[in-house]
Amino acid sequence: SGERSLLARAAMSVPLKQWHTLGVSITGKEVTVTLNGKPVPGLKRQLDSYRGGRMGIHTQGDTAALFDQWQVTVK
């Protein structure tokens, strides 16, 4: 239905000018976010109203993010 839902926000310090691996896993209604294979504190929660659908990534302000690959695997 075109509805957006904010999972969470996390202030993070990551090294610049190098690639990182961002992972998002949805199991049932539980969402977990990982950075370089490690869970990101505060970015694991239940999405009780989640009904399936699309997922995206959003940056704010003057943040620049480059993505080399984007892959979604449905199990």
Side-chain angles (χ1 to χ4, degrees), residues 32-55:
T32 304
V33 177
T34 60
L35 182 66
N36 298 324
K38 297 178 184 175
V40 177
L43 291 185
K44 179 177 181 177
R45 69 177 263 205
Q46 289 287 121
L47 294 179
D48 295 326
S49 63
Y50 179 69
R51 298 181 307 264
R54 299 178 181 181
M55 191 187 113

Side-chain angles (χ1 to χ4, degrees), residues 19 45 68:
W19 290 105
R45 69 177 263 205
D68 182 76

Side-chain angles (χ1 to χ4, degrees), residues 12-70:
M12 299 179 64
S13 177
V14 294
L16 300 175
K17 298 186 180 183
Q18 60 181 285
W19 290 105
H20 302 280
T21 301
L22 178 67
V24 179
S25 173
I26 301 174
T27 304
K29 293 185 181 243
E30 183 177 271
V31 180
T32 304
V33 177
T34 60
L35 182 66
N36 298 324
K38 297 178 184 175
V40 177
L43 291 185
K44 179 177 181 177
R45 69 177 263 205
Q46 289 287 121
L47 294 179
D48 295 326
S49 63
Y50 179 69
R51 298 181 307 264
R54 299 178 181 181
M55 191 187 113
I57 297 174
H58 175 75
T59 61
Q60 287 188 280
D62 61 354
T63 302
L66 304 174
F67 297 93
D68 182 76
Q69 295 178 4
W70 177 254

